[in-house]
Amino acid sequence: MSTTTTSQTPESEGPGRPGRLIQNEATTEIPVHLLFRDDPDPVSVPLRPTVVGRRQGTGEQPRFRRPAATPRPVPQVDPELGERPARVLPGAAGVLAGACGAAGCVATSWWAGVLPPLAAAALRLPAYAGAGLGPAQWAAYAGAGALGVVGFGGLTRGRAGRAWVLGLFGRYRGTVRRTGLLWVNPLVLRRRVDVRLRHWRSEPMPAADGNGVALRVTVLVVWRVRDTARAVLGIEDHETYLRECVEAALARVPVETPDGTRGPAEAAGDALTRLVSADAAPVGLEVFSVQPVRIEYAPEMAAAMNRRRIAALDAQHRASVLTSVVDSVEDTVTRLTVRGLVDLDDYERKALVKDLTVAFCVGRGEQVP
């Protein structure tokens, strides 16, 4: 009696289909009918991207697409807020108005009969008994006094390099850049602004070099106020804003280290100038230059970086001395053998090279290892 053994194929695998090489492989199958379609308009067929899972056990990590960098928002100020000239009069108009008011007060006093005799004699006014202080006299006093106060109270002096920002009841009324004696409405609020070319030397600010080493940097900023309306009304304090812009730029730009291992300081200064100018322009500030004038390591890094710098200088010095000694030994041995002064085999050549190396190192004051 014979026994026949029949091998059965698992239902999960077909008779002609090979087994999987990687048992834990995870893939997504795409139906064949989606690859060959007779649809004349392929745009109308929505295709979804197929996501293939990572293969477990192979060390492959899922890949993520880095999101596109969004542009940094630019500070915006009220677009309608911009510097414009204010309406002012020459100072002569204010002096004339004040003089007229004072003359009106004197005339009213003479009319009311309260002008002292000495003042009347000095002014060469005729004697007049006066009508007394009645309603008409008080009204004349009020009008003449108001004219004198407005005339003399609106006088101001405009200086070169200084400007006045005028506001009335919270509304911007213009900027005065004229010089000399001027008359400005005494009811408006005046804010003085320095529009000269200015420079500011900062205190040591935190920064870092290209390797992330902490630094302390002192910068020199050359700037001026270009738009007085935006600088005074568009921001609370433009000087504080400029200082914070410089500090923010130092946090983004790598600065040259004190030992000069990074790029030139001019490159860092140009990058700082571009960043600070872009941030300060919307508020009416014009920045011409932002240059580092003093760079030093942070206190917590100064000792370690000083030791590292000394070690690098010592290694560089030793390398240069060793190169010089090797060149001298090679030149000496070559001259002795070429001129036929000595005839050396390999052992004697090695001994001579060793003795010359020791002699040259001792002569240069170096320790022989």
Side-chain angles (χ1 to χ4, degrees):
M1 182 174 180
S2 61
T3 304
T4 304
T5 303
T6 305
S7 60
Q8 296 180 357
T9 304
E11 296 179 359
S12 60
E13 298 181 2
R17 182 178 179 182
R20 292 183 177 178
L21 298 178
I22 303 176
Q23 298 298 330
N24 56 355
E25 179 182 6
T27 60
T28 301
E29 298 181 356
I30 302 176
V32 180
H33 69 277
L34 292 180
L35 302 178
F36 305 95
R37 292 181 60 92
D38 296 331
D39 193 348
D41 187 13
V43 181
S44 61
V45 180
L47 298 179
R48 296 183 178 179
T50 303
V51 180
V52 180
R54 68 183 179 93
R55 298 178 181 179
Q56 300 178 356
T58 61
E60 181 180 356
Q61 299 296 330
R63 299 179 180 179
F64 299 95
R65 179 176 297 178
R66 181 177 296 178
T70 57
R72 189 168 54 91
V74 179
Q76 298 291 337
V77 185
D78 186 3
E80 298 182 357
L81 184 61
E83 181 179 334
R84 62 176 184 271
R87 298 178 180 178
V88 295
L89 297 177
V95 173
L96 180 60
C100 292
C105 291
V106 173
T108 304
S109 300
W110 176 78
W111 178 28
V114 295
L115 187 66
L118 294 179
L123 296 174
R124 298 180 181 180
L125 295 176
Y128 180 69
L133 293 175
Q137 286 76 16
W138 284 115
Y141 268 128
L147 182 61
V149 170
V150 170
F152 289 124
L155 292 176
T156 185
R157 183 179 59 177
R159 298 181 180 179
R162 303 293 179 91
W164 292 98
V165 178
L166 307 182
L168 181 61
F169 303 116
R171 183 179 179 183
Y172 174 60
R173 304 299 298 177
T175 300
V176 180
R177 288 181 177 262
R178 296 170 57 180
T179 59
L181 187 61
L182 305 172
W183 182 86
V184 182
N185 186 357
L187 299 180
V188 299
L189 178 63
R190 311 174 192 176
R191 298 183 182 180
R192 178 174 292 181
V193 185
D194 192 346
V195 295
R196 295 174 296 180
L197 186 65
R198 304 170 64 183
H199 69 279
W200 168 61
R201 183 185 177 96
S202 70
E203 65 278 0
M205 294 185 175
D209 63 357
N211 297 326
V213 179
L215 303 174
R216 289 293 183 270
V217 181
T218 303
V219 297
L220 180 65
V221 184
V222 181
W223 63 286
R224 70 177 178 182
V225 176
R226 178 175 52 85
D227 192 318
T228 56
R230 293 191 174 189
V232 175
L233 304 178
I235 194 170
E236 183 176 0
D237 188 354
H238 59 274
E239 295 183 359
T240 303
Y241 178 78
L242 179 62
R243 185 181 303 109
E244 294 177 354
C245 287
V246 173
E247 187 173 357
L250 282 174
R252 289 180 288 171
V253 176
V255 185
E256 178 191 9
T257 53
D259 54 1
T261 57
R262 303 301 303 171
E266 291 77 7
D270 294 341
L272 290 173
T273 302
R274 288 194 300 269
L275 290 176
V276 178
S277 299
D279 291 340
V283 297
L285 302 181
E286 187 175 5
V287 179
F288 297 95
S289 174
V290 181
Q291 295 295 332
V293 295
R294 184 177 181 182
I295 304 173
E296 58 186 6
Y297 289 109
E300 63 274 10
M301 298 294 298
M305 296 308 297
N306 190 25
R307 291 193 300 267
R308 177 180 176 183
R309 183 179 180 182
I310 293 175
L313 292 176
D314 183 66
Q316 184 179 2
H317 175 68
R318 287 179 177 272
S320 63
V321 170
L322 181 60
T323 302
S324 177
V325 169
V326 171
D327 292 341
S328 300
V329 171
E330 181 183 5
D331 183 63
T332 303
V333 174
T334 302
R335 288 186 178 184
L336 291 175
T337 55
V338 169
R339 296 182 181 182
L341 298 178
V342 293
D343 187 9
L344 304 174
D345 56 7
D346 292 340
Y347 178 78
E348 294 175 345
R349 182 185 297 272
K350 292 180 181 179
L352 179 60
V353 168
K354 180 178 180 180
D355 294 340
L356 290 176
T357 303
V358 173
F360 286 149
C361 289
V362 172
R364 292 177 178 269
E366 296 294 331
Q367 297 181 357
V368 181

